Amino acid sequence: MPHLPYELHTTQCARCGGRLGDNQERYCSAACRASAWRVERWEEERWKLGLPANSSCTLCGERIAVTSKNKTTCDKNDRNEACVDAQAGARLDAINARDEAEELRECAECEHCGADIAYSGKGRPRRFCAPRCRTAFYRAEKRTTMAGAR
């Protein structure tokens, strides 16, 4: 006994367009059924979150279908030459920023006395070479702000 009314029966999968078997009514496989279910759930979620159905790629400006909360660029298979070039440029910018930050860590100077500060290898680079320099710096800052307030 079919679950769908007779007029809704087709011979093609509702998801991929493939041929349906004898006992299949709507989807040709469990993968197509699961994929259709995920798309339907995402449509509901997108509507609840107020996300647009379509957006523009941040790299090339082409229209893209929003399929997740974090999607901002074209899919790998859909990229055009402009998007590939922009992606390479973005990667290069990230590498340059990382190298610049590493260089700043390696040649850091104390903000109070100007002495070189060794980088420990973790976290942010230190601003002061010793606690006495930090205290002296903050006391000098406090004096200048108090003098400016008068």
Side-chain angles (χ1 to χ4, degrees), residues 23-34:
N23 296 330
Q24 297 167 330
E25 293 184 356
R26 192 175 293 166
Y27 303 109
C28 64
S29 65
C32 279
R33 184 176 60 249

Side-chain angles (χ1 to χ4, degrees), residues 34-54:
S35 177
W37 182 81
R38 279 193 305 273
V39 167
E40 185 178 313
R41 297 287 297 168
W42 170 244
E43 293 293 329
E44 292 173 11
E45 188 70 22
R46 181 172 54 208
W47 183 79
K48 286 178 188 173
L49 294 172
L51 295 173
N54 292 311

Side-chain angles (χ1 to χ4, degrees), residues 38-129:
R38 279 193 305 273
V39 167
E40 185 178 313
R41 297 287 297 168
W42 170 244
E43 293 293 329
E44 292 173 11
E45 188 70 22
R46 181 172 54 208
W47 183 79
K48 286 178 188 173
L49 294 172
L51 295 173
N54 292 311
S55 184
S56 297
C57 176
T58 56
L59 299 175
C60 67
E62 293 281 327
R63 303 278 298 160
I64 58 172
V66 179
T67 56
S68 73
K69 298 173 193 172
N70 301 327
K71 185 171 181 179
T72 58
T73 61
C74 299
D75 290 331
K76 277 185 182 176
N77 300 335
D78 298 339
R79 287 195 181 130
N80 57 19
E81 289 299 319
C83 195
V84 171
D85 294 342
Q87 183 72 24
R91 243 185 269 118
L92 186 60
D93 291 345
I95 290 169
N96 289 340
R98 187 183 67 226
D99 291 346
E100 186 177 313
E102 188 175 324
E103 186 178 317
L104 286 173
R105 281 188 216 112
E106 295 298 324
C107 58
E109 292 182 352
C110 177
E111 290 186 24
H112 180 68
C113 68
D116 288 338
I117 303 172
Y119 179 59
S120 66
K122 292 195 294 187
R124 280 189 294 191
R126 294 171 43 193
R127 290 177 56 195
F128 305 101
C129 60

